[in-house]
Amino acid sequence: MQNVNPPSERLYGVMQALLAAYAQKAPAPSAEPRGVVEEQDALDAVMNLAAVLDKNLRDGRLSENNAAHMAALLMLIRDHLRPLPAGPPAEDAGADRVTADLREFVDGLRAARAETGMRG
């Protein structure tokens, strides 16, 4: 019998299993690389998520604080896949605020991980 659930629903189930392991502070299960997802696929996924996030913020379904936090998480992923541009001009000419912002955000994630023991 053929599975009638679409891939997105099955992958959602994988996400739920990862979240459960994360919440239990258990090592996140993993498999050998599949050779399916290429860098551009991941970059496209990040931008699709960013578009959905932005639409939900504009439609009032997300608070600005939650949207900003999710956007920062997406930009962290994007920077790992392909470095982000320098961003808008900073107050101090020539400064790369993106590097400082990424560093501050990652430091916060690392501190939370050290405090909670939760690892994705």
Side-chain angles (χ1 to χ4, degrees):
M1 180 174 184
Q2 182 178 345
N3 191 338
V4 294
N5 293 338
S8 58
E9 287 184 17
R10 292 189 299 273
L11 290 170
Y12 184 79
V14 172
M15 181 194 74
Q16 289 178 313
L18 289 171
L19 285 172
Y22 185 73
Q24 296 170 11
K25 300 179 185 175
S30 191
E32 292 296 317
R34 292 176 174 85
V36 174
V37 180
E38 297 176 0
E39 179 187 63
Q40 190 59 55
D41 301 318
L43 291 167
D44 292 344
V46 166
M47 294 313 298
N48 275 271
L49 278 169
V52 170
L53 185 158
D54 190 56
K55 181 174 183 347
N56 279 277
L57 173 64
R58 285 185 282 112
D59 291 349
R61 289 193 282 273
L62 276 176
S63 71
E64 286 187 26
N65 189 48
N66 284 343
H69 185 76
M70 288 188 277
L73 291 167
L74 282 173
M75 292 306 96
L76 183 147
I77 295 165
R78 168 53 163 80
D79 190 72
H80 182 73
L81 294 168
R82 186 174 298 158
L84 293 168
E91 290 176 17
D92 42 340
D96 174 15
R97 282 299 311 161
V98 172
T99 299
D101 290 344
L102 285 168
R103 185 170 289 119
E104 184 177 333
F105 196 76
V106 167
D107 286 348
L109 288 174
R110 291 174 181 164
R113 181 175 56 232
E115 183 178 312
T116 65
M118 297 172 85
R119 304 175 66 89

